[in-house]
Every structure is written in structure tokens, then in C-alpha cells.
Amino acid sequence: MSSAIMLSPADHTKWKHHISSTALSLGAFSILKGSKEPYPGTTDSDEKKENRDWKKAGEKIAGAIYATLDEAHQAIVADVEPTDAKALWDRLNGQYEKKDIGGRFFAMQNLMAISYRDAEHPTESLLEFGNRVVDGSKKLQNLIPDEPKYEKEKVTTPATATCVSNGSHKVNVVQATFSPSTYTPGFTASVKVLWL
């Protein structure tokens, strides 16, 4: 097995690949993907053994994850059960894969800070440098939210009102509802005023 890659903002992608390959070698990759104990509450001895093996693999990958964390990252997962590899994995990846403005800013900052043959990569080739730039670009692209999508306007029954400044003007008030935006949960509504 290769030496551990410590989790850092700049090396999150490498760290993710390293933990994935470690999980594959330990037979625990399905645990990171969310598999559950194979036979919960079983009394069969073979099934109990399989449950113990599954739990042991989960503990090994959780230990491998912890071995790559500095104090700051340990604080991020302080409230996560130490043997829950899936929760550790999700929390740490979520820290660097948020699709909010902070996550995009952080990814852009990391992309702009990439330099050829920096202190961490003193002997890199142009190909390796290019791969780091492409990885940073893909990470930023994955954090950009989808275009907002709206359904066609659904008009409710119009109401008639009288104009405040001129009582002889009748005003139709129509409420239109648009379907969920990808930026905010729920629906957004607007009011359109049509003059008669």
C-alpha cells in the first residue's frame, strides 16, 4: 500500500482517490458507498462471521481515514462515530464539495494558486502540471449549480381591485407560480398587475 496522503484543501482529490483505493484493497469500498451490515440480527454462525468481517473492514477503512487527518480535520468529524466510515467519508468530502458560494470560491482559489513546480511538486513534468490544472477545473465545474429551471407560468384566478389613486381604474391582479428553482427550495411566486 502507498504512503498515506494527508487530507488538505489542495490535495482533496488525491486524498479521495487514495482512500478509495485503500477501501478497495480492504474490501470496504461498498461501505463508503453506503452498504449496510449484511445480516442484522442474525443467529446463523456463517452470517454472524460475515457481519464481523464487514464490521472489521469498516473499522479498518475508518482507521485509514483517521490516519490522514490533521487536528483541523479531526475537529470537523469530532461528532461522528469513529467507526462509522461512511459518515466520516461523507462529512469530509462534503467539506470540499459544497455547491454553495463558499465551496466555489474555495475551489477557484485553489485553481488560481496552482503553479508549475511549486514546493509540493518540485520535479513535476508539464503533463503532471496540466493534470493538476484539469483536476482543479473539473472540481470547480462540478460545484457550479445547474441552470435554474422554471416551468411555464400557472395563472390562478385573477382578482379585481380598484386603483388607490384613481377609483375609476380597475386593476386585474394575477398571481403566477413558477416551479422550483435550483437555487432555493420550494417555489417562487410573483404578482403581475395588468391594467384594464
Side-chain angles (χ1 to χ4, degrees):
M1 208 179 315
S2 62
S3 64
I5 294 174
M6 297 300 288
L7 177 57
S8 70
D11 287 329
H12 172 252
T13 303
K14 282 184 189 176
W15 174 85
K16 190 173 178 179
H17 291 299
H18 171 75
I19 295 297
S20 294
S21 66
T22 302
L24 284 168
S25 67
L26 294 172
F29 191 72
S30 64
I31 294 171
L32 294 182
K33 292 296 183 185
S35 73
K36 302 293 182 202
E37 186 178 41
Y39 304 103
T42 187
T43 56
D44 182 66
S45 62
D46 290 337
E47 291 175 350
K48 281 183 176 181
K49 182 184 181 320
E50 198 169 327
N51 282 350
R52 282 192 304 274
D53 291 345
W54 179 88
K55 185 176 180 182
K56 191 173 184 179
E59 289 172 350
K60 284 182 180 180
I61 194 60
I65 290 171
Y66 263 108
T68 63
L69 303 181
D70 59 13
E71 286 183 30
H73 288 98
Q74 287 174 10
I76 292 169
V77 295
D79 63 334
V80 176
E81 177 64 35
T83 59
D84 189 348
K86 170 76 171 136
L88 292 169
W89 176 253
D90 289 346
R91 175 76 60 88
L92 293 165
N93 282 317
Q95 191 68 24
Y96 296 106
E97 295 174 354
K98 292 178 183 172
K99 287 196 173 193
D100 63 1
I101 190 68
R104 291 190 300 274
F105 175 78
F106 188 69
M108 176 62 85
Q109 186 179 24
N110 283 339
L111 179 62
M112 300 307 289
I114 295 174
S115 62
Y116 181 58
R117 292 192 174 176
D118 58 11
E120 291 181 29
H121 310 88
T123 61
E124 78 180 335
S125 67
L126 280 174
L127 178 62
E128 292 167 332
F129 172 69
N131 288 338
R132 285 197 303 133
V133 171
V134 168
D135 286 345
S137 299
K138 284 181 182 176
K139 187 170 187 174
L140 179 60
Q141 186 175 15
N142 289 337
L143 295 176
I144 296 173
D146 299 329
E147 290 291 321
K149 295 179 178 90
Y150 297 101
E151 289 180 7
K152 290 186 179 179
E153 180 174 85
K154 296 175 187 173
V155 179
T156 59
T157 308
T160 304
T162 305
C163 179
V164 174
S165 60
N166 184 345
S168 65
H169 287 117
K170 297 291 181 195
V171 179
N172 277 346
V173 179
V174 179
Q175 180 177 352
T177 304
F178 297 91
S179 90
S181 160
T182 56
Y183 294 117
T184 58
F187 294 86
T188 54
S190 64
V191 176
K192 295 184 179 182
V193 177
L194 305 173
W195 294 94
L196 295 175

